[in-house]
Amino acid sequence: MKTPELGHGLKLDAIHHWLDLELGRDNYAWTSDTQPGHNASAIYLPNTEIAHRLVEKFELELLFIEDMKLY
């Protein structure tokens, strides 16, 4: 998902809380890109239904690999 220029702010805590309640802490993974110029996170979920619910609930913007500059 695309990270807003100023970050997710308080939404970040709400997303983690929702994921913990819906899936449990051991059933998803969240990683962030640490390369300069990349503002994206990857959330690994067990299925697309959960992914759709997450994107809809938190109005997240998906980032496709074609949108990223790979060095």
Side-chain angles (χ1 to χ4, degrees):
M1 86 184 142
K2 186 174 183 180
T3 302
E5 187 174 322
L6 298 176
H8 290 291
L10 295 176
K11 188 186 279 190
L12 183 65
D13 290 337
I15 293 170
H16 278 286
H17 182 72
W18 185 85
L19 289 168
D20 290 346
L21 289 175
E22 292 292 314
L23 301 173
R25 290 185 181 203
D26 294 332
N27 295 314
Y28 71 93
W30 184 315
T31 62
S32 296
D33 194 336
T34 57
Q35 289 186 338
H38 288 189
N39 293 313
S41 296
I43 302 175
Y44 299 90
L45 301 167
N47 59 59
T48 57
E49 187 255 327
I50 293 288
H52 287 283
R53 288 178 36 213
L54 176 69
V55 168
E56 186 176 292
K57 179 166 181 66
F58 293 100
E59 299 176 352
L60 301 174
E61 185 177 349
L62 296 180
L63 181 68
F64 296 96
I65 195 73
E66 295 85 19
D67 298 334
M68 295 179 64
K69 294 178 186 174
L70 302 175
Y71 299 94

